[in-house]
Amino acid sequence: MKLTEIPVANFIGGLWQASLSRETFETVDPATEEILAKVPRSDSRDVDAAVKAAHLAFYGEWRELTPAERGRLLYRLAQAIQSYRAELAELETLDNGKPLREALDDFDGVTRTIEYNAGAADKLQGDTIPLGMEVIDFTILEPLGVTAHIVPWNFPLGIAIRSVALALAAGCTVVLKPAEETPLTALRLASIIQEVGFPNGVFNVVTGFGEEAGAALVRHPLVRGVTFTGSAETGRKIMAQAAESLKPLVLELGGKNALIVFEDANLERAVNDAMEAVFGNCGQVCSAASRLLLHTSIYSEFMDRFCERVSQLKIAPGMENGDLGPLVSKEQLERAMNYIRIGQEEGAKLVLGGTRPTHLKRGYFFLPTIFAEVSPFMRIAQEEIFAPVVAVFSFETEVEALQKANEVPYGLTAGVYTQDIRRALTFAQRLETGSVWINGWYLGGVQAPTGGVKASGFGRERGLPGIHNYLQIKNVAIKL
Ligand code: NAI
Ligand code: MG
């Protein structure tokens, strides 16, 4: 499909619609700074139409389908996504900037997520509760109703599907608001969902800005649940908006994740994994390693190997499939540059990078950056930068490593590299994060729940716990 054929309208109740105000906004290619398309700038009236369409669909044909039929539709969607994988990946690369290879991986993940939830749709069941001979008591798992999904730009369709597929498997209907930076694959998804044969109104997309369309969606009284991935700052606002009508929330709010390397680690593997953990998706990953904690005895050797590898990374437009594409937007580029200034003012040592590459005149490109001699209470050690920037620390003892790993506001992921089983499991118990990885990074799959503690949010996505975000328990008691 050519770019000019991508639908650039809201998808509401099975129809493509301009915003009622007729206003639009531009989405740009971060590699060239050129405009890719103009999409609707939706306001509360467009959101209201989408939520009402989803509400109507929930009480219509959708609720009458059996769970197996819902699963079958999802399975067909997974197959359609695989068949459009190359086209979808190109579109994601143009809109987000990531190397095409990474976008293709994203769509394999999207397919797997839908397949898993297709299979789960008819396996969601309640309990019977023994209350003695005079009463029969059982639970029914019911879908919440209309759910709102507000997603960021780093994995535009990956993160959208990570909650949308679960809500659909549970029997909810959906209104998705993609990030303003990357609306295109969500719109293309809508056309695929239509083609696959989902009833009208089950899945709706409205494009627009967070404060306008996003806030109206969270506040809408007919929305029964909200899932949000993005910044902690916006998460706080969404929680306050949702409080007005007491909606349940799933919040995934980023991290400041530590990759910890002990003296007995397989250093080759640790360096190799760190490359992906720090610089994958240009560092714009909530579960990226943005802090490296290195034992003093291997510090020099690790850093020599790591810096050597980092200096060889190829920075290029996503379509040229280098190692790093551009950052997603001018705002994110400015944010990264601001943190470089802060880190230098705080006295950290800039070992590599810290600027834009000189060979690329246009686009929001930024060099892979390493700060060493970072101390734990510097801002670059505490705050999420969301760029290819890593802060490196050294430690002497297990106690010191644990303390440094935990003393940040966030708690999403952590990784420990060691051959000592006692040490690995001690860290698994004591790290304050939603996920702990041992001798690897980005371990786990669509079956394994992920999410945060502390400022990284609450609620778990993926796996069966993820689907239960979209179900409520009804208890039925019968007196005999
Ligand atoms: P953001 O959290 O403001 O935006 C994410 C989504 O929330 C977008 O769809 C946006 O339209 C929506 N939104 C914004 N304000 C809203 C509001 N008041 N009500 C409802 N929806 C709203 O993130 P932004 O500004 O794009 O990036 C800033 C920083 O956030 C990044 O540098 C990074 O640190 C963090 N971030 C974390 C992500 C993660 O995966 N956890 C993803 C994207 C950003
Ligand atoms: Mg924002």
Side-chain angles (χ1 to χ4, degrees):
M1 187 178 259
K2 293 197 201 77
L3 206 50
T4 49
E5 295 165 15
I6 301 300
V8 284
N10 286 330
F11 186 69
I12 299 178
L15 299 172
W16 296 99
Q17 300 186 355
S19 59
L20 286 166
S21 66
R22 302 270 148 194
E23 285 196 46
T24 59
F25 66 94
E26 293 159 354
T27 181
V28 300
D29 177 348
T32 61
E33 305 178 36
E34 277 162 18
I35 298 166
L36 287 169
K38 291 181 184 173
V39 299
R41 176 176 168 179
S42 309
D43 62 24
S44 59
R45 295 171 300 161
D46 307 296
V47 167
D48 183 56
V51 173
K52 284 186 175 145
H55 183 73
L56 211 67
F58 179 73
Y59 289 101
E61 195 186 335
W62 186 237
R63 221 163 55 148
E64 306 307 321
L65 290 186
T66 64
E69 286 166 332
R70 283 204 308 271
R72 201 171 290 137
L73 273 172
L74 279 166
Y75 195 66
R76 258 193 250 152
L77 177 62
Q79 291 176 311
I81 297 274
Q82 259 314 284
S83 72
Y84 294 123
R85 173 177 177 265
E87 173 215 312
L88 282 161
E90 273 192 27
L91 192 59
E92 202 78 294
T93 287
L94 285 173
D95 213 6
N96 164 279
K98 65 179 69 193
L100 195 55
R101 166 180 41 79
E102 292 189 3
L104 286 164
D105 285 350
D106 289 0
F107 283 94
D108 288 338
V110 166
T111 304
R112 268 299 293 140
T113 301
I114 304 172
E115 278 172 354
Y116 177 85
N117 288 287
D122 63 356
K123 296 167 192 69
L124 305 167
Q125 56 201 31
D127 296 316
T128 55
I129 293 135
L131 288 181
M133 293 306 283
E134 301 303 322
V135 181
I136 299 280
D137 190 293
F138 60 92
T139 60
I140 302 176
L141 301 184
E142 297 178 336
L144 295 185
V146 180
T147 53
H149 304 252
I150 298 182
V151 300
W153 39 259
N154 50 341
F155 296 88
L157 210 59
I159 291 180
I161 281 294
R162 189 169 84 181
S163 67
V164 166
L166 285 62
L168 294 175
C172 293
T173 57
V174 165
V175 180
L176 169 65
K177 195 206 78 66
E180 39 274 59
E181 293 82 357
T182 54
L184 296 180
T185 47
L187 295 172
R188 182 69 183 105
L189 172 67
S191 69
I192 298 172
I193 280 190
Q194 190 173 35
E195 178 186 309
V196 163
F198 279 78
N200 290 339
V202 169
F203 176 77
N204 307 274
V205 184
V206 282
T207 57
F209 298 126
E211 304 276 344
E212 244 170 16
L217 187 54
V218 176
R219 285 205 161 100
H220 200 293
L222 292 178
V223 169
R224 303 288 187 225
V226 175
T227 300
F228 169 74
T229 302
S231 63
E233 190 193 348
T234 300
R236 276 185 201 97
K237 289 186 196 159
I238 286 183
M239 201 164 165
Q241 290 157 7
E244 293 164 16
S245 47
L246 296 167
K247 293 181 174 72
L249 292 169
V250 178
L251 299 179
E252 202 268 74
L253 308 176
K256 191 74 183 177
N257 313 304
L259 189 159
I260 307 162
V261 187
F262 277 96
E263 68 282 2
D264 61 348
N266 176 337
L267 220 53
E268 183 62 26
R269 186 193 289 186
V271 171
N272 213 33
D273 287 0
M275 296 300 294
E276 167 69 10
V278 175
F279 300 112
N281 211 39
C282 209
Q284 303 167 118
V285 188
C286 45
S287 43
S290 47
R291 296 184 295 151
L292 292 181
L293 272 58
L294 308 177
H295 189 263
T296 43
S297 66
I298 48 94
Y299 186 94
S300 301
E301 191 183 349
F302 185 104
M303 284 297 272
D304 288 348
R305 292 202 211 177
F306 185 58
C307 292
E308 162 85 25
R309 293 273 304 271
V310 174
S311 56
Q312 289 164 5
L313 287 172
K314 185 181 163 213
I315 300 140
M319 296 303 277
E320 288 173 28
N321 237 342
D323 297 304
L324 277 82
L327 291 164
V328 75
S329 64
K330 187 155 172 276
E331 288 71 31
Q332 291 304 120
L333 176 63
E334 281 165 2
R335 181 186 169 101
M337 303 222 274
N338 191 38
Y339 273 107
I340 302 306
R341 188 184 52 74
I342 291 169
Q344 285 176 309
E345 282 171 10
E346 288 177 320
K349 183 177 167 206
L350 186 61
V351 177
L352 270 182
T355 58
R356 305 188 51 178
T358 48
H359 72 286
L360 292 157
K361 300 293 171 222
R362 286 183 315 166
Y364 310 126
F365 294 94
F366 195 71
L367 287 176
T369 299
I370 302 173
F371 270 120
E373 295 170 26
V374 182
S375 64
F377 293 102
M378 291 181 181
R379 284 184 64 192
I380 60 162
Q382 293 285 318
E383 298 173 18
E384 185 176 56
I385 300 176
F386 230 61
V389 179
V390 68
V392 186
F393 307 74
S394 61
F395 67 88
E396 295 271 5
T397 64
E398 285 183 13
V399 171
E400 187 188 349
L402 252 178
Q403 189 187 344
K404 282 186 169 158
N406 284 338
E407 65 192 354
V408 291
Y410 291 101
L412 194 59
T413 69
V416 185
Y417 287 74
T418 178
Q419 303 297 329
D420 179 340
I421 185 76
R422 181 206 53 80
R423 176 184 274 162
L425 294 178
T426 300
F427 273 67
Q429 298 234 64
R430 292 177 190 267
L431 283 165
E432 293 167 358
T433 54
S435 298
V436 175
W437 295 315
I438 311 288
N439 293 327
W441 196 269
Y442 294 137
L443 301 176
V446 298
Q447 303 96 320
T450 58
V453 301
K454 304 197 291 187
S456 294
F458 48 79
R460 292 294 174 268
E461 299 191 281
R462 301 201 176 123
L464 293 175
I467 304 182
H468 285 273
N469 293 323
Y470 305 97
L471 293 165
Q472 57 203 5
I473 300 172
K474 177 180 279 173
N475 187 261
V476 180
I478 306 153
K479 180 92 170 87
L480 301 179

